[in-house]
Amino acid sequence: MSVIEVRGLRKSYGENLAVAGIDLSIAQGEIFALLGPNGAGKTTTVEILEGFRDRDSGEISVLGHDPQRSDKSGRIWRNRIGIVLQATSDAGDLRVSECIEHFAKYYSNPRDPESVIAAVGLSDKRDDLIRNLSGGQRRRLDVALGIIGNPELLFLDEPTTGFDPEARRAFWELIRSLQSDGTTILLTTHYLDEAEALADRVAVINHGKILEIATPQKLGGRSTSLTKVQWLENGEIRSEESSEPTAVVKRLASQFPGEIPGLTISRPTLEDVYLTMIGGAE
C-alpha cells in the first residue's frame, strides 16, 4: 500500500523552478530518504507533502488525502502525521515535560509522554526549561514533539543535526523501532551514513528533478561498480580497479612474501556515488 503518491509535482517561485515535475511513491512502513544539495528542491517538496506550501501543478496523495485541502478531513489527516522541522524556537518558558504533555493533548491517540521523553534521551532534562537546553537537547525535544502523536507517517527534516555520535546511534534505534511498529518515515538528511543506515530506498534530487531512486546499495550502479584494490609498493601507494578483486589479491599475494603491505579493498561509498551524481548534474 502506498502512503505517499506524487505525480508531476511542480512548484515555481517567480522564474525559479524549484520542483520540476517529480514523481514519487512511498510504501507503507518504508523509510525513504530524500537526498540533495541545498537549493535542490528537497524542502519545497517536503513542505508541499506536509501541507505547508501549495503546489503549482501535479497530483498528490498523502495517507489518501490531498494536503492542499483545508477542510475537516484535512484536520483529521493532520492527526495522523508527525513533523520534525529543521529548527524551532517556541515554548522557551515551559519545562520539557510540560511541553510534551501539552502537545500530547492535541492528538486522539498519543504516545505516553514519559516513554517519549525516555526514548529521545531527555529523562534527566524533563524538569528543565526549554530555553536552557543545548542545541542537541533542543533537537531531541523537536523529535519528541514529532512522535508524541503516534503518527502513521513521520516527516524528519535533518533530525540529528547537533547530535553527538552516541546520540545519533540511539536516535537511529528509535527510528527503527518506529518502523517496526508500522510507521512510514520520510527523511531528509545531509549525513550519507545516516541514509545508508536507515533508509530502505533513497532518492537523489537536484535542480528540482529526481536523478534516481534506488536502495542505498544499488544507487548509481554501486552494487556492480568496480572494486578498488590498494596496496603499498616500494613506499608508494598503488591501486587497481577490477571486477575480479580476488584475482588481483591472488596476484599480489604471489608478489609479496607474507602480508600484502597496506592492503585495502573497497567499493564506492554512498557518499562517493552521491557526489558523482550531483556533480554531474551541476
Side-chain angles (χ1 to χ4, degrees), residues 192-247:
L192 277 296
D193 61 331
E194 185 161 271
E196 185 155 27
L198 295 176
D200 299 299
R201 289 187 301 149
V202 300
V204 177
I205 184 171
N206 202 13
H207 298 300
K209 297 181 179 180
I210 290 182
L211 305 182
E212 186 178 348
I213 299 175
T215 65
Q217 296 76 26
K218 293 184 178 180
L219 187 74
R222 189 178 168 207
S223 62
T224 57
S225 61
L226 296 178
T227 298
K228 183 179 181 179
V229 180
Q230 185 173 288
W231 68 97
L232 286 173
E233 187 172 344
N234 297 324
E236 295 183 357
I237 297 175
R238 303 284 300 276
S239 66
E240 181 177 332
E241 292 186 338
S242 174
S243 60
E244 298 179 338
T246 302

Side-chain angles (χ1 to χ4, degrees), residues 4 40 58 83 101 143 145:
I4 295 177
I83 298 173
E101 289 166 2
V143 172
L145 298 180

Side-chain angles (χ1 to χ4, degrees), residues 248-258 260:
V248 176
V249 172
K250 286 182 177 179
R251 190 190 74 230
L252 291 172
S254 67
Q255 293 179 217
F256 294 95
I260 302 168

Side-chain angles (χ1 to χ4, degrees), residues 79-111:
N79 187 63
R80 303 168 62 196
I81 68 173
I83 298 173
V84 178
L85 301 173
Q86 278 193 21
T88 55
S89 58
D90 57 335
D93 291 330
L94 291 179
R95 301 186 188 281
V96 168
S97 58
E98 292 173 336
C99 182
I100 295 175
E101 289 166 2
H102 174 74
F103 273 81
K105 296 174 183 177
Y106 290 130
Y107 298 95
S108 62
N109 183 35
R111 294 164 64 102

